[in-house]
PDB file of all heavy atoms in Angstrom:
ATOM      1  N   GLN A   1     106.471 166.920  75.634  1.00 46.00           N
ATOM      2  CA  GLN A   1     107.337 167.070  76.757  1.00 46.00           C
ATOM      3  C   GLN A   1     107.474 165.769  77.540  1.00 46.00           C
ATOM      4  O   GLN A   1     108.557 165.423  77.964  1.00 46.00           O
ATOM      5  CB  GLN A   1     106.823 168.179  77.723  1.00 46.00           C
ATOM      6  CG  GLN A   1     107.793 168.404  78.857  1.00 46.00           C
ATOM      7  CD  GLN A   1     107.369 169.569  79.619  1.00 46.00           C
ATOM      8  OE1 GLN A   1     106.461 170.268  79.457  1.00 46.00           O
ATOM      9  NE2 GLN A   1     108.124 169.902  80.782  1.00 46.00           N
ATOM     10  N   ASP A   2     106.397 165.046  77.653  1.00 54.00           N
ATOM     11  CA  ASP A   2     106.432 163.758  78.449  1.00 54.00           C
ATOM     12  C   ASP A   2     107.106 162.684  77.706  1.00 54.00           C
ATOM     13  O   ASP A   2     107.748 161.805  78.281  1.00 54.00           O
ATOM     14  CB  ASP A   2     105.114 163.371  78.873  1.00 54.00           C
ATOM     15  CG  ASP A   2     104.450 164.283  79.805  1.00 54.00           C
ATOM     16  OD1 ASP A   2     105.150 164.844  80.783  1.00 54.00           O
ATOM     17  OD2 ASP A   2     103.299 164.586  79.689  1.00 54.00           O
ATOM     18  N   GLY A   3     106.851 162.631  76.352  1.00 50.00           N
ATOM     19  CA  GLY A   3     107.549 161.555  75.561  1.00 50.00           C
ATOM     20  C   GLY A   3     107.241 160.098  75.974  1.00 50.00           C
ATOM     21  O   GLY A   3     108.030 159.311  75.993  1.00 50.00           O
ATOM     22  N   ASN A   4     105.953 159.877  76.306  1.00 52.00           N
ATOM     23  CA  ASN A   4     105.523 158.526  76.630  1.00 52.00           C
ATOM     24  C   ASN A   4     105.582 157.572  75.427  1.00 52.00           C
ATOM     25  O   ASN A   4     105.351 158.142  74.363  1.00 52.00           O
ATOM     26  CB  ASN A   4     104.122 158.585  77.224  1.00 52.00           C
ATOM     27  CG  ASN A   4     104.074 159.294  78.627  1.00 52.00           C
ATOM     28  OD1 ASN A   4     104.660 160.405  78.780  1.00 52.00           O
ATOM     29  ND2 ASN A   4     103.463 158.683  79.613  1.00 52.00           N
ATOM     30  N   ALA A   5     105.677 156.324  75.750  1.00 53.00           N
ATOM     31  CA  ALA A   5     105.705 155.323  74.600  1.00 53.00           C
ATOM     32  C   ALA A   5     104.668 154.204  74.949  1.00 53.00           C
ATOM     33  O   ALA A   5     104.450 154.008  76.132  1.00 53.00           O
ATOM     34  CB  ALA A   5     107.071 154.679  74.535  1.00 53.00           C
ATOM     35  N   GLU A   6     103.916 153.688  74.032  1.00 51.00           N
ATOM     36  CA  GLU A   6     103.000 152.579  74.176  1.00 51.00           C
ATOM     37  C   GLU A   6     103.651 151.456  73.388  1.00 51.00           C
ATOM     38  O   GLU A   6     103.882 151.521  72.255  1.00 51.00           O
ATOM     39  CB  GLU A   6     101.620 153.013  73.582  1.00 51.00           C
ATOM     40  CG  GLU A   6     100.627 151.917  73.756  1.00 51.00           C
ATOM     41  CD  GLU A   6      99.251 152.111  73.187  1.00 51.00           C
ATOM     42  OE1 GLU A   6      99.145 153.382  72.646  1.00 51.00           O
ATOM     43  OE2 GLU A   6      98.440 151.384  73.212  1.00 51.00           O
ATOM     44  N   LEU A   7     103.752 150.293  74.237  1.00 53.00           N
ATOM     45  CA  LEU A   7     104.282 149.100  73.624  1.00 53.00           C
ATOM     46  C   LEU A   7     103.152 147.946  73.711  1.00 53.00           C
ATOM     47  O   LEU A   7     102.447 148.092  74.754  1.00 53.00           O
ATOM     48  CB  LEU A   7     105.571 148.652  74.247  1.00 53.00           C
ATOM     49  CG  LEU A   7     106.603 149.616  74.331  1.00 53.00           C
ATOM     50  CD1 LEU A   7     107.798 149.158  75.205  1.00 53.00           C
ATOM     51  CD2 LEU A   7     107.078 150.036  72.942  1.00 53.00           C
ATOM     52  N   SER A   8     102.976 147.130  72.739  1.00 53.00           N
ATOM     53  CA  SER A   8     101.719 146.310  72.824  1.00 53.00           C
ATOM     54  C   SER A   8     102.035 144.848  72.636  1.00 53.00           C
ATOM     55  O   SER A   8     101.142 143.937  72.598  1.00 53.00           O
ATOM     56  CB  SER A   8     100.812 146.790  71.651  1.00 53.00           C
ATOM     57  OG  SER A   8     101.372 146.622  70.491  1.00 53.00           O
ATOM     58  N   ARG A   9     103.328 144.452  72.554  1.00 56.00           N
ATOM     59  CA  ARG A   9     103.535 142.975  72.377  1.00 56.00           C
ATOM     60  C   ARG A   9     104.543 142.565  73.457  1.00 56.00           C
ATOM     61  O   ARG A   9     105.584 143.245  73.657  1.00 56.00           O
ATOM     62  CB  ARG A   9     104.187 142.633  71.035  1.00 56.00           C
ATOM     63  CG  ARG A   9     103.100 142.526  69.893  1.00 56.00           C
ATOM     64  CD  ARG A   9     103.691 142.003  68.757  1.00 56.00           C
ATOM     65  NE  ARG A   9     104.336 140.716  68.780  1.00 56.00           N
ATOM     66  CZ  ARG A   9     103.730 139.651  68.637  1.00 56.00           C
ATOM     67  NH1 ARG A   9     102.435 139.525  68.260  1.00 56.00           N
ATOM     68  NH2 ARG A   9     104.369 138.551  68.728  1.00 56.00           N
ATOM     69  N   GLU A  10     104.343 141.528  74.125  1.00 52.00           N
ATOM     70  CA  GLU A  10     105.140 140.994  75.096  1.00 52.00           C
ATOM     71  C   GLU A  10     106.643 140.837  74.695  1.00 52.00           C
ATOM     72  O   GLU A  10     107.525 141.202  75.417  1.00 52.00           O
ATOM     73  CB  GLU A  10     104.689 139.655  75.675  1.00 52.00           C
ATOM     74  CG  GLU A  10     105.551 139.108  76.835  1.00 52.00           C
ATOM     75  CD  GLU A  10     106.637 138.171  76.374  1.00 52.00           C
ATOM     76  OE1 GLU A  10     106.465 137.722  75.226  1.00 52.00           O
ATOM     77  OE2 GLU A  10     107.583 138.132  77.144  1.00 52.00           O
ATOM     78  N   SER A  11     106.838 140.506  73.553  1.00 50.00           N
ATOM     79  CA  SER A  11     108.177 140.342  73.017  1.00 50.00           C
ATOM     80  C   SER A  11     108.980 141.613  72.884  1.00 50.00           C
ATOM     81  O   SER A  11     110.232 141.696  73.105  1.00 50.00           O
ATOM     82  CB  SER A  11     108.169 139.675  71.545  1.00 50.00           C
ATOM     83  OG  SER A  11     107.527 140.543  70.613  1.00 50.00           O
ATOM     84  N   LEU A  12     108.231 142.670  72.762  1.00 50.00           N
ATOM     85  CA  LEU A  12     108.992 144.056  72.826  1.00 50.00           C
ATOM     86  C   LEU A  12     109.386 144.389  74.156  1.00 50.00           C
ATOM     87  O   LEU A  12     110.439 144.852  74.496  1.00 50.00           O
ATOM     88  CB  LEU A  12     107.963 145.222  72.188  1.00 50.00           C
ATOM     89  CG  LEU A  12     107.634 145.055  70.666  1.00 50.00           C
ATOM     90  CD1 LEU A  12     106.742 146.237  70.305  1.00 50.00           C
ATOM     91  CD2 LEU A  12     108.818 144.896  69.817  1.00 50.00           C
ATOM     92  N   HIS A  13     108.382 144.161  75.143  1.00 54.00           N
ATOM     93  CA  HIS A  13     108.719 144.591  76.525  1.00 54.00           C
ATOM     94  C   HIS A  13     109.817 143.774  76.941  1.00 54.00           C
ATOM     95  O   HIS A  13     110.806 144.221  77.552  1.00 54.00           O
ATOM     96  CB  HIS A  13     107.455 144.251  77.404  1.00 54.00           C
ATOM     97  CG  HIS A  13     106.159 144.938  76.999  1.00 54.00           C
ATOM     98  ND1 HIS A  13     106.130 146.227  76.611  1.00 54.00           N
ATOM     99  CD2 HIS A  13     104.982 144.447  76.842  1.00 54.00           C
ATOM    100  CE1 HIS A  13     104.934 146.555  76.178  1.00 54.00           C
ATOM    101  NE2 HIS A  13     104.162 145.409  76.229  1.00 54.00           N
ATOM    102  N   ALA A  14     109.785 142.389  76.821  1.00 52.00           N
ATOM    103  CA  ALA A  14     110.855 141.565  77.350  1.00 52.00           C
ATOM    104  C   ALA A  14     112.135 141.756  76.596  1.00 52.00           C
ATOM    105  O   ALA A  14     113.240 141.402  77.177  1.00 52.00           O
ATOM    106  CB  ALA A  14     110.385 140.030  77.142  1.00 52.00           C
ATOM    107  N   GLY A  15     112.070 142.304  75.386  1.00 49.00           N
ATOM    108  CA  GLY A  15     113.372 142.433  74.704  1.00 49.00           C
ATOM    109  C   GLY A  15     114.121 143.616  75.000  1.00 49.00           C
ATOM    110  O   GLY A  15     115.221 143.991  74.439  1.00 49.00           O
ATOM    111  N   GLY A  16     113.765 144.471  76.104  1.00 58.00           N
ATOM    112  CA  GLY A  16     114.599 145.560  76.610  1.00 58.00           C
ATOM    113  C   GLY A  16     114.125 146.896  76.179  1.00 58.00           C
ATOM    114  O   GLY A  16     114.682 147.883  76.573  1.00 58.00           O
ATOM    115  N   GLU A  17     113.112 146.998  75.393  1.00 55.00           N
ATOM    116  CA  GLU A  17     112.643 148.271  74.888  1.00 55.00           C
ATOM    117  C   GLU A  17     112.122 149.085  76.073  1.00 55.00           C
ATOM    118  O   GLU A  17     112.375 150.386  76.141  1.00 55.00           O
ATOM    119  CB  GLU A  17     111.511 148.214  73.903  1.00 55.00           C
ATOM    120  CG  GLU A  17     111.997 147.477  72.619  1.00 55.00           C
ATOM    121  CD  GLU A  17     112.991 148.214  71.672  1.00 55.00           C
ATOM    122  OE1 GLU A  17     113.359 149.310  72.169  1.00 55.00           O
ATOM    123  OE2 GLU A  17     113.452 147.685  70.872  1.00 55.00           O
ATOM    124  N   VAL A  18     111.438 148.573  77.110  1.00 59.00           N
ATOM    125  CA  VAL A  18     110.983 149.393  78.153  1.00 59.00           C
ATOM    126  C   VAL A  18     112.154 149.854  78.931  1.00 59.00           C
ATOM    127  O   VAL A  18     112.159 151.058  79.399  1.00 59.00           O
ATOM    128  CB  VAL A  18     110.137 148.404  79.045  1.00 59.00           C
ATOM    129  CG1 VAL A  18     109.819 149.205  80.457  1.00 59.00           C
ATOM    130  CG2 VAL A  18     108.786 148.225  78.475  1.00 59.00           C
ATOM    131  N   ASP A  19     113.187 149.053  79.096  1.00 62.00           N
ATOM    132  CA  ASP A  19     114.330 149.569  79.875  1.00 62.00           C
ATOM    133  C   ASP A  19     114.962 150.698  79.061  1.00 62.00           C
ATOM    134  O   ASP A  19     115.529 151.526  79.682  1.00 62.00           O
ATOM    135  CB  ASP A  19     115.380 148.300  79.893  1.00 62.00           C
ATOM    136  CG  ASP A  19     116.571 148.565  80.681  1.00 62.00           C
ATOM    137  OD1 ASP A  19     116.406 149.070  81.853  1.00 62.00           O
ATOM    138  OD2 ASP A  19     117.666 148.457  80.226  1.00 62.00           O
ATOM    139  N   ARG A  20     115.179 150.604  77.687  1.00 60.00           N
ATOM    140  CA  ARG A  20     115.772 151.655  76.855  1.00 60.00           C
ATOM    141  C   ARG A  20     115.015 152.875  77.041  1.00 60.00           C
ATOM    142  O   ARG A  20     115.649 153.979  77.287  1.00 60.00           O
ATOM    143  CB  ARG A  20     115.721 151.178  75.416  1.00 60.00           C
ATOM    144  CG  ARG A  20     116.266 152.368  74.526  1.00 60.00           C
ATOM    145  CD  ARG A  20     116.202 151.875  73.052  1.00 60.00           C
ATOM    146  NE  ARG A  20     114.740 151.895  72.655  1.00 60.00           N
ATOM    147  CZ  ARG A  20     114.182 153.096  72.123  1.00 60.00           C
ATOM    148  NH1 ARG A  20     114.765 154.099  72.281  1.00 60.00           N
ATOM    149  NH2 ARG A  20     112.994 152.985  71.755  1.00 60.00           N
ATOM    150  N   ILE A  21     113.687 152.902  76.991  1.00 58.00           N
ATOM    151  CA  ILE A  21     112.912 154.164  77.115  1.00 58.00           C
ATOM    152  C   ILE A  21     113.019 154.697  78.573  1.00 58.00           C
ATOM    153  O   ILE A  21     113.188 155.772  78.837  1.00 58.00           O
ATOM    154  CB  ILE A  21     111.351 153.821  76.764  1.00 58.00           C
ATOM    155  CG1 ILE A  21     111.325 153.493  75.181  1.00 58.00           C
ATOM    156  CG2 ILE A  21     110.538 155.031  77.011  1.00 58.00           C
ATOM    157  CD1 ILE A  21     110.076 153.025  74.868  1.00 58.00           C
ATOM    158  N   ALA A  22     112.841 153.825  79.536  1.00 58.00           N
ATOM    159  CA  ALA A  22     112.832 154.197  80.927  1.00 58.00           C
ATOM    160  C   ALA A  22     114.050 154.867  81.302  1.00 58.00           C
ATOM    161  O   ALA A  22     114.149 155.905  82.018  1.00 58.00           O
ATOM    162  CB  ALA A  22     112.588 153.045  81.956  1.00 58.00           C
ATOM    163  N   HIS A  23     115.228 154.329  80.876  1.00 62.00           N
ATOM    164  CA  HIS A  23     116.537 154.928  81.145  1.00 62.00           C
ATOM    165  C   HIS A  23     116.784 156.102  80.306  1.00 62.00           C
ATOM    166  O   HIS A  23     117.732 156.914  80.609  1.00 62.00           O
ATOM    167  CB  HIS A  23     117.635 153.851  80.775  1.00 62.00           C
ATOM    168  CG  HIS A  23     117.884 152.924  81.953  1.00 62.00           C
ATOM    169  ND1 HIS A  23     117.149 151.766  82.049  1.00 62.00           N
ATOM    170  CD2 HIS A  23     118.685 152.841  83.014  1.00 62.00           C
ATOM    171  CE1 HIS A  23     117.380 151.101  83.142  1.00 62.00           C
ATOM    172  NE2 HIS A  23     118.441 151.699  83.690  1.00 62.00           N
ATOM    173  N   GLY A  24     115.972 156.332  79.379  1.00 63.00           N
ATOM    174  CA  GLY A  24     116.087 157.626  78.586  1.00 63.00           C
ATOM    175  C   GLY A  24     115.244 158.828  79.277  1.00 63.00           C
ATOM    176  O   GLY A  24     115.183 159.871  78.746  1.00 63.00           O
ATOM    177  N   GLY A  25     114.660 158.470  80.521  1.00 64.00           N
ATOM    178  CA  GLY A  25     114.058 159.511  81.299  1.00 64.00           C
ATOM    179  C   GLY A  25     112.588 159.715  80.859  1.00 64.00           C
ATOM    180  O   GLY A  25     112.072 160.722  81.212  1.00 64.00           O
TER     181      GLY A  25
END
């Protein structure tokens, strides 16, 4: 239900993946 994500490389975070997931609720 929570659908949390774990990212582990700075290149992923800075590349917009956090934004994509966060905006997905």
